[in-house]
Amino acid sequence: AKLGVRPEGGTAVFEGLLRRAETLATSREGFTPRGSANLVFSLASLRLCPSAPLLSAISLGAERQAAHFNPQDITSFLWGLSKLGAAPGGAVPALLRRAVVTASGFTPQDVSLLMWTLAKTQMAPILPDLLAAMEDRAIATVERFKPQDVANLLWALATLHAEAESTSGPKSTSRGVL
């Protein structure tokens, strides 16, 4: 996309790659966690609408392989799903549980992007353990946050706080974020 290559008009290369991705995603091999994350992220970045079978196969594969996703793959996959407007399916809860387990490996960008994605799309209820893990990770890495990371995380927390108040009155956790 940065080189000016756009999928407008359904060019043959994009159509062929989407067909091949569907074949691979539904095969025994499937995609690796990194491959799934890159595929979903790229489809969203290019604004390509994957077929229902392709999206279903990718999501099913991600759900099965959730235990092998690293923090960057988790955030890229979930961001891509959110930008595609895809129904969450079983991959989302599995990846959110994985995020709790791998929280110590999240970079400031991973923390802010994950929380931004969840606040923006409301694709799944936020697990209290996930919020606590991301807050702990943000505190541990706060000195490495770049301006965009700070802005994204503050926006996400403000959005989540406003949503919590609008649905059930003011909320607070033992950590004080929501």
Side-chain angles (χ1 to χ4, degrees), residues 5 20 45 76 78 91-92 96 112 129 131 141 161 166:
V5 177
R20 181 64 180 148
S45 295
S76 294
L78 293 175
V92 172
L96 294 179
S112 66
D129 290 351
L131 185 59
T141 60
H161 179 74
S166 70

Side-chain angles (χ1 to χ4, degrees), residues 11-32:
T11 63
V13 70
F14 289 108
E15 291 171 1
L17 287 170
L18 285 172
R19 279 192 308 276
R20 181 64 180 148
E22 187 173 325
T23 299
L24 291 170
T26 57
S27 72
R28 259 185 12 162
E29 296 172 38
F31 283 91
T32 64

